[in-house]
Amino acid sequence: MAIAIITILLPILPSLLPFIFLLYCMTLFPPKPPKHHKNELKILPPGPRPLPLIGNLQLLGILPHQSLYHLAKQYGPIMFLKLGFVETVVVSSAESAELFLKTHDAAFANRPKVLISDFLSYGSRGMIFDDYGPYWRNVRKVCTLQLLSSSKIESFAPLRKQEVELMVAKIKKAAELKEVVDVSGRVGDFSLNLICRMIFGQPCNDDDSNLRHLIKESLELVGAINIADYVPYIGALDLQGLTRRTKAYRKGMDRVLENIIDSHEKDDRWKTKEQKDFIDVLLAIMNNSSPIINSNDDQSYVIDRTCIKAIIQDIIVGGFETSASSIEWTFSEILRHPRVMKRLQEELESAIGLDRMVEEEDLPKLTYLEMVIKESLRLYPTLPLIPRKCVEDITVNGYHIPSRSRVLVNAWAIGRDSNVWSDNALEFYPERFEDECVDLRGHHFKLIPFGSGRRSCPGINLGLKNIRLVIAQLAHCFNWKLPVGVLPSEVDMTEKYGLTLPRATHIFAMPTYRLNVK
């Protein structure tokens, strides 16, 4: 991280010297804080001493969740950092996470604003970046009822079946040709086509929309560490080129979304009861001018075109990446651990046999599959750092948490805490869940891959359904070998930092079809 900052600043350093001197003086002579009586003394959490201007930014490294994990071992589970000019609290234990995400959830219900959020979410009109309040609650309610409820997820079962059969057919063809399969690519196709069919009513067509490229770009932009977010005075300079890239992305994505909405408006299906996808539902709400109303709120809001685009974008980006990356990590680990693959295949063969593929109704009885997925999500949580913003001055566990400070709950670190998961916390060992009654929905704070509290992931049910189904099919339909010359211990497990936690490289393997079904 420090090298990246120096690389950006060095070419323009001479022209920035007066500006840097001014900022340095501001750090040396900050405004005097208001006086407090002795009984009002406010104690910040412990943390490393900040440097002028950049504070502790240089400590984040290439993979901040890992760097913060190691820092927490020195400074404790509630740690204070100064990232540029931004006061930041890092939470790294299950007990502390419960305080921030449950006990004091209301005080930390907002997401921190970043400079690119206005571009990525149309002025925070979606669910990811908007503040907690009536508008956010009502948008989430619409998405939950019309797309992510149990009944809606069940209604999409035929789409999942079609897409998973298509994925298996392509892998089977590669197996017949004895080809190495890009498993990451196949999983990505499944995830993107499924989410597009649910929202748009049709698979993703790269030739028409270039949607795949835009999703990849949005994930890189959200995951980038933008120095201007932490040192706002240099934001206008756009030293990293992120603002320029974000504007280009917004223009491209807006064109795609406008075309999709236009095509749905020309088709009068949204006016009838035969609505087939999520956009049809949103258009019906918009054109009927029906406000999104929550009986507990004082305000109501009407969905407009901008709101539709913001919601769609959030769901596409979040829904695609979370499922795909979780499937990749899980498959990577069972590929690295033949013992786990063998036990999983034995369970599948015992429960289902080799005369058919796995059906969704089979999933509840696959207990070892559930253990494998929990173990994967423990090590590779969907959100490695759960971002929140403090809305008011508050004391947590004896520490003063300043208003408007950022809070990062390190779910990645919590999943590797040896005090909770024993001395083998860094190992992939699904059997640890054999006698553990721990769910994945944020009720047990030692396992929070989808977050917890008010801002937990609304698509958890859909995501888990996709992960279970795809991993079950990959293990049941095929035997797998690593490419020639690659040992299980040599599989690249490097992470790539972002809003989610994708693999840095694709995972490749050679399949052999194992079912008695042609």
Side-chain angles (χ1 to χ4, degrees):
M1 180 66 194
I3 295 175
I5 295 173
I6 292 171
T7 303
I8 294 167
L9 294 179
L10 194 58
I12 59 172
L13 190 59
S15 61
L16 289 178
L17 285 177
F19 185 68
I20 291 175
F21 178 74
L22 175 62
L23 291 177
Y24 181 66
C25 291
M26 292 171 63
T27 62
L28 289 178
F29 306 103
K32 292 184 178 180
K35 294 182 179 180
H36 298 284
H37 298 294
K38 289 184 178 180
N39 61 351
E40 295 177 349
L41 187 62
K42 298 179 179 180
I43 302 174
L44 292 172
R49 185 180 180 86
L51 297 174
L53 296 180
I54 64 172
N56 305 117
L57 270 175
Q58 82 284 359
L59 299 177
L60 290 183
I62 302 298
L63 297 170
H65 56 288
Q66 294 189 17
S67 301
L68 296 174
Y69 164 71
H70 294 294
L71 276 174
K73 291 183 177 181
Q74 180 179 355
Y75 294 101
I78 302 179
M79 176 174 60
F80 185 83
L81 300 176
K82 197 75 179 294
L83 301 180
F85 289 84
V86 178
E87 296 176 315
T88 305
V89 177
V90 182
V91 180
S92 304
S93 73
E95 295 82 0
S96 300
E98 184 171 1
L99 293 175
F100 283 83
L101 300 180
K102 181 180 179 181
T103 307
H104 302 289
D105 189 22
F108 303 101
N110 286 349
R111 294 281 194 212
K113 289 289 193 300
V114 293
L115 293 178
I116 62 174
S117 63
D118 282 344
F119 293 100
L120 293 179
S121 198
Y122 292 85
S124 299
R125 299 290 301 278
M127 287 190 295
I128 294 179
F129 296 107
D130 193 45
D131 284 342
Y132 181 82
Y135 175 79
W136 180 88
R137 285 193 295 270
N138 289 317
V139 166
R140 181 177 170 121
K141 180 180 179 181
V142 168
C143 293
T144 300
L145 292 177
Q146 302 297 339
L147 186 68
L148 303 173
S149 66
S150 297
S151 59
K152 283 291 182 179
I153 292 172
E154 188 63 30
S155 72
F156 293 127
L159 299 184
R160 283 191 295 276
K161 182 178 176 64
Q162 292 170 16
E163 289 300 327
V164 81
E165 287 178 347
L166 179 62
M167 179 189 69
V168 168
K170 290 180 178 179
I171 297 175
K172 182 181 177 184
K173 183 176 181 181
E176 292 170 353
L177 298 173
K178 301 186 184 304
E179 294 178 343
V180 175
V181 172
D182 179 356
V183 181
S184 297
R186 292 301 177 206
V187 169
D189 290 341
F190 163 82
S191 184
L192 184 57
N193 283 334
L194 179 60
I195 201 75
C196 286
R197 291 183 70 180
M198 289 170 56
I199 299 174
F200 305 151
Q202 61 185 28
C204 171
N205 188 329
D206 283 341
D207 295 333
D208 295 337
S209 66
N210 202 23
L211 185 59
R212 193 186 305 269
H213 166 75
L214 289 167
I215 291 175
K216 180 180 178 182
E217 177 73 351
S218 70
L219 292 168
E220 290 181 359
L221 289 169
V222 172
I225 298 175
N226 189 352
I227 298 175
D229 284 328
Y230 304 100
V231 187
Y233 302 100
I234 66 174
L237 301 176
D238 193 23
L239 300 178
Q240 297 164 270
L242 292 175
T243 300
R244 173 180 49 79
R245 283 177 60 188
T246 304
K247 289 180 178 178
Y249 161 80
R250 167 70 176 270
K251 184 177 180 180
M253 180 60 86
D254 192 74
R255 186 184 302 114
V256 170
L257 296 177
E258 284 288 346
N259 289 339
I260 292 171
I261 294 173
D262 283 343
S263 66
H264 277 70
E265 283 187 321
K266 291 175 182 177
D267 184 344
D268 290 340
R269 189 179 58 202
W270 61 268
K271 297 179 180 179
T272 71
K273 293 182 179 180
E274 298 179 1
Q275 299 166 0
K276 293 186 178 180
D277 56 54
F278 189 49
I279 292 184
D280 287 335
V281 173
L282 294 178
L283 284 174
I285 295 174
M286 181 182 77
N287 286 280
N288 289 336
S289 298
S290 300
I292 317 171
I293 300 175
N294 188 320
S295 58
N296 297 321
D297 293 326
D298 297 327
Q299 296 173 287
S300 61
Y301 298 88
V302 175
I303 285 185
D304 58 18
R305 197 178 186 90
T306 300
C307 179
I308 290 177
K309 290 189 288 187
I311 294 171
I312 293 171
Q313 181 175 246
D314 280 0
I315 293 175
I316 292 175
V317 173
F320 165 71
E321 178 63 19
T322 53
S323 291
S325 64
S326 295
I327 293 169
E328 287 183 67
W329 284 122
T330 307
F331 180 78
S332 300
E333 285 290 8
I334 61 176
L335 198 61
R336 291 176 68 234
H337 295 83
R339 174 192 67 81
V340 175
M341 177 71 85
K342 184 174 184 295
R343 181 171 173 182
L344 179 57
Q345 288 183 328
E346 287 174 351
E347 177 182 71
L348 288 161
E349 188 171 344
S350 174
I352 298 162
L354 295 176
D355 295 324
R356 65 179 178 89
M357 292 174 60
V358 180
E359 301 290 342
E360 289 195 13
E361 52 265 30
D362 298 318
L363 297 178
K365 57 189 176 184
L366 300 174
T367 56
Y368 191 66
L369 172 67
E370 188 69 11
M371 287 188 275
V372 167
I373 290 170
K374 284 183 178 179
E375 179 71 343
S376 176
L377 290 171
R378 177 184 72 85
L379 292 170
Y380 310 100
T382 305
L383 295 173
L385 292 174
I386 302 170
R388 297 290 184 92
K389 183 175 71 175
C390 186
V391 300
E392 61 185 8
D393 285 335
I394 190 171
T395 299
V396 178
N397 202 34
Y399 294 121
H400 170 63
I401 311 298
S403 174
R404 295 195 290 183
S405 60
R406 294 186 185 180
V407 175
L408 298 175
V409 179
N410 196 341
W412 190 92
I414 293 171
R416 286 168 165 75
D417 187 348
S418 59
N419 294 321
V420 174
W421 300 105
S422 78
D423 293 336
N424 69 344
L426 301 184
E427 298 178 19
F428 185 80
Y429 185 69
E431 284 78 4
R432 75 176 74 247
F433 289 99
E434 206 144 22
D435 299 315
E436 280 272 3
C437 184
V438 181
D439 74 5
L440 291 163
R441 303 178 185 280
H443 300 134
H444 301 90
F445 289 87
K446 63 181 183 180
L447 188 63
I448 48 173
F450 297 94
S452 182
R454 288 169 168 83
R455 300 302 291 249
S456 61
C457 176
I460 179 173
N461 290 331
L462 177 62
L464 287 174
K465 180 81 75 173
N466 292 341
I467 297 167
R468 290 165 179 148
L469 184 61
V470 173
I471 291 298
Q473 300 293 10
L474 292 176
H476 186 53
C477 296
F478 304 97
N479 290 316
W480 295 90
K481 291 183 179 180
L482 289 166
V484 176
V486 180
L487 299 175
S489 60
E490 297 173 342
V491 175
D492 185 2
M493 298 296 282
T494 306
E495 300 168 346
K496 182 178 179 181
Y497 179 72
L499 183 64
T500 58
L501 189 65
R503 286 178 50 87
T505 59
H506 282 204
I507 183 73
F508 294 86
M510 298 179 64
T512 303
Y513 192 64
R514 66 191 295 265
L515 298 188
N516 299 322
V517 183
K518 292 184 179 181

